[in-house]
Amino acid sequence: MPDRINLKSLTREELSSFAKTQGLPKFRVDQLLHWMYEKYARDIQEITEFSKSLREDLARTVCISSLELVSRQTSKDNTGKFLFALEDGQTIESVLIPDDDRRTLCISSQVGCAMACSFCLTGETGLVRNLKAHEIVDQILFVNGLISPKRISNIVFMGMGEPLANFDEVVEALKKITETLGISKRRITLSTSGLVPKMLELPKKAPDVNLAVSLNATTDEVRDRIMPINKKYPLKMLLDACRMYPLQPQRLITFEYVLLDGVNDTLEDAKRLTRILKNIPCKVNLIPYNPHEGSRLKRPKQATVLAFQQVLKAAHMTALVRESKGQDILAACGQLRGREKNRENNA
Ligand code: SAH
Ligand code: SF4
C-alpha cells in the first residue's frame, strides 16, 4: 500500500511526532525503534509486544519496509554475497566479509551507477536510481537479522553506486547507522570515484567518516580514459581536495588502485603514485582487477603486482594488495546483479 508511512523512513524526531498524532505514549516510540533496529522486525505484525488491536490499528496507516532476499551465496573464503530486491523490483547487492572479530558489510548506495568507469560492471548498467536512506540502512538490518546475535561491526560504501552522487540520502543513512545502529564513525568508510565538491561538503555533514578514493591512475590521460569523472574533476583538483580533507590524528585516507594489465601497472606509474600522494596522510590498497565477462581488460601478473607494491613500500608508503573477496562467487562490485540480469536476458 503506497500511501502508508514507512516507519523506517522517519527520523527519531519524526517518529516521535507521528506517535503524538496517533496518541501513542513516548515509550511506544522506544519500542518501535527497538523492534525495527534491534529485533529486525520486517512487519508491524511481528511486534508481538503490541496488542493485536494496536498492531491492526497501526497497520492501517504505517508499514515497516524491508528488503527481499533474492539469493545468498557463501564463497570458499567465507565471504557472503546477498542480492536483494527493493520494493519496485530493482536489485542491489551487499557483501559480508567476516574477518577475525570484525564483520564488515559492503553496501550499495545506488541501483547502477552513472560514472561509467571502464573496469566496473556496475558502471555498465548506467544509473537506474538512487537508493533511499532506509534502503541503504535496510541492507545492514537484514544481514544483522541473519547473523544475529552477531552484528555487523564495520561498514564500507563500496557496493554498487557512487555514494557522493546520492549525497543527501547517504548522509541521512550515515546518521541512522551511527545514531540508531550505534556503529562508530571510525568503523565506516565511504568510497568515492572523486566527486570533488561533495568530498569537500562531506566532513561538514558527516564528520569523521573514513574516506576512500578510487584513484586507479597516475596521469589525467589514463584516468580520463578509465574514469570519465576525471574530465570534470582532474587529478590535481582531486588530490588538492584530499589534502584539504580534515582528518583526525592517526587517521588516513585510503587510495584504491585497481591494477589493470598494461594500462596503469608500470613501475613508472608506481613511482608517479609515490610522488602525487606525497604530503597526504594515506595508505594504498592495490586491487588486482577482477575480470568479468565481456571485458577486454586483464589483471596483471602477480610479479607485476608485487613489483608495483615494492616501489610504494620503498618510498615508505603503506601499500596492501587486496584481492576482491569471494572471487568464486563474483563478489566484486555489481557482478552478482550482472549475472542475474544475464540469466533474465537468456531466459
Ligand atoms: N563508486 C565508488 C564505490 C563503489 S566501487 C567508487 O568508485 O569508489 C568500489 C571499488 O571497487 C572501487 O575502488 C572500484 O575501483 C573497485 N572496482 C570496481 N570494479 C572492479 C573490478 N572489476 N575489479 C576490481 N575492483 C573493482
Ligand atoms: Fe560507479 Fe564506482 Fe563502479 Fe566507477 S567504480 S562505475 S564510480 S561504482
Side-chain angles (χ1 to χ4, degrees):
M1 248 186 279
D3 50 341
R4 286 187 300 176
I5 300 167
N6 173 15
L7 293 182
K8 274 194 192 156
S9 71
L10 305 181
T11 60
R12 178 186 268 273
E13 298 74 39
E14 287 165 345
L15 192 62
S16 298
S17 18
F18 164 79
K20 247 188 205 154
T21 62
Q22 300 292 304
L24 293 173
K26 213 172 142 271
F27 73 91
R28 292 284 185 217
V29 175
D30 295 330
Q31 284 175 326
L32 279 168
L33 287 169
H34 178 72
W35 278 85
M36 285 193 290
Y37 295 107
E38 277 163 59
K39 294 186 80 104
Y40 319 117
R42 298 169 56 195
D43 193 294
I44 295 286
Q45 302 306 336
E46 287 177 30
I47 310 183
T48 46
E49 202 175 0
F50 289 2
S51 69
K52 196 156 179 279
S53 70
L54 177 57
R55 275 181 271 155
E56 277 168 9
D57 266 0
L58 279 173
R60 269 191 278 279
T61 48
V62 300
C63 62
I64 298 177
S65 69
S66 176
L67 305 172
E68 193 191 312
L69 186 60
V70 178
S71 69
R72 176 185 184 174
Q73 287 173 281
T74 307
S75 76
K76 288 184 204 128
D77 64 13
N78 246 345
T79 303
K81 173 114 177 176
F82 304 90
L83 185 72
F84 293 117
L86 305 167
E87 281 187 345
D88 60 359
Q90 293 294 342
T91 51
I92 50 163
E93 300 173 1
S94 316
V95 178
L96 171 64
I97 307 151
D99 183 13
D100 298 329
D101 53 351
R102 265 194 299 189
R103 278 163 303 277
T104 303
L105 192 68
C106 172
I107 58 176
S108 295
S109 56
Q110 297 182 309
V111 182
C113 180
M115 299 301 145
C117 302
S118 65
F119 48 85
C120 173
L121 194 58
T122 306
E124 281 182 19
T125 322
L127 177 66
V128 180
R129 74 167 173 89
N130 281 330
L131 293 189
K132 292 285 191 196
H134 67 84
E135 292 172 322
I136 297 172
V137 176
D138 265 344
Q139 298 168 60
I140 308 166
L141 292 176
F142 200 109
V143 176
N144 265 347
L146 288 176
I147 64 173
S148 172
K150 291 184 180 153
R151 278 165 183 251
I152 297 298
S153 59
N154 295 57
I155 300 291
V156 291
F157 281 78
M158 288 185 194
M160 294 165 62
E162 167 49 57
L164 295 185
N166 183 17
F167 193 78
D168 293 346
E169 297 295 327
V170 165
V171 165
E172 182 64 38
L174 284 169
K175 204 165 166 228
K176 275 231 165 85
I177 295 169
T178 50
E179 290 175 10
T180 313
L181 300 190
I183 299 178
S184 129
K185 287 172 187 159
R186 277 182 301 117
R187 293 171 174 266
I188 303 174
T189 302
L190 185 145
S191 173
T192 180
S193 56
L195 269 67
V196 169
K198 295 292 177 195
M199 274 171 67
L200 297 173
E201 199 181 334
L202 184 68
K204 295 177 197 140
K205 298 280 167 59
D208 301 337
V209 165
N210 296 302
L211 185 70
V213 175
S214 298
L215 193 62
N216 300 340
T218 57
T219 64
D220 282 323
E221 190 267 322
V222 174
R223 201 164 189 268
D224 279 354
R225 249 192 303 136
I226 62 173
M227 300 185 76
I229 185 70
N230 195 66
K231 293 179 193 153
K232 202 163 179 189
Y233 307 117
L235 274 174
K236 180 171 183 322
M237 212 192 242
L238 175 61
L239 295 171
D240 282 347
C242 292
R243 272 185 206 97
M244 281 161 68
Y245 198 79
L247 288 172
Q248 293 285 341
Q250 320 292 330
R251 303 275 284 278
L252 303 170
I253 293 183
T254 302
F255 287 100
E256 294 156 285
Y257 196 97
V258 178
L259 284 162
L260 304 163
D261 182 41
V263 177
N264 63 2
D265 62 344
T266 64
L267 293 181
E268 253 323 294
D269 281 306
K271 283 180 203 149
R272 217 170 7 244
L273 191 56
T274 64
R275 287 199 295 272
I276 63 176
L277 297 185
K278 235 190 188 144
N279 307 328
I280 306 180
C282 69
K283 60 180 177 182
V284 178
N285 282 346
L286 299 170
I287 315 166
Y289 172 61
N290 197 10
H292 55 261
E293 230 176 275
S295 166
R296 270 181 285 132
L297 295 164
K298 288 205 234 66
R299 107 183 347 233
K301 292 197 181 72
Q302 186 65 3
T304 310
V305 174
L306 295 179
F308 196 104
Q309 181 189 28
Q310 209 41 53
V311 172
L312 303 188
K313 282 191 167 169
H316 309 291
M317 293 176 70
T318 308
L320 297 170
V321 177
R322 290 282 175 126
E323 281 297 337
S324 307
K325 295 280 183 178
Q327 296 216 16
D328 52 321
I329 55 164
L330 298 172
C333 186
Q335 298 203 340
L336 186 65
R337 181 172 192 271
R339 188 163 71 179
E340 292 290 321
K341 282 272 163 218
N342 277 341
R343 267 198 209 142
E344 278 166 31
N345 294 342
N346 296 335

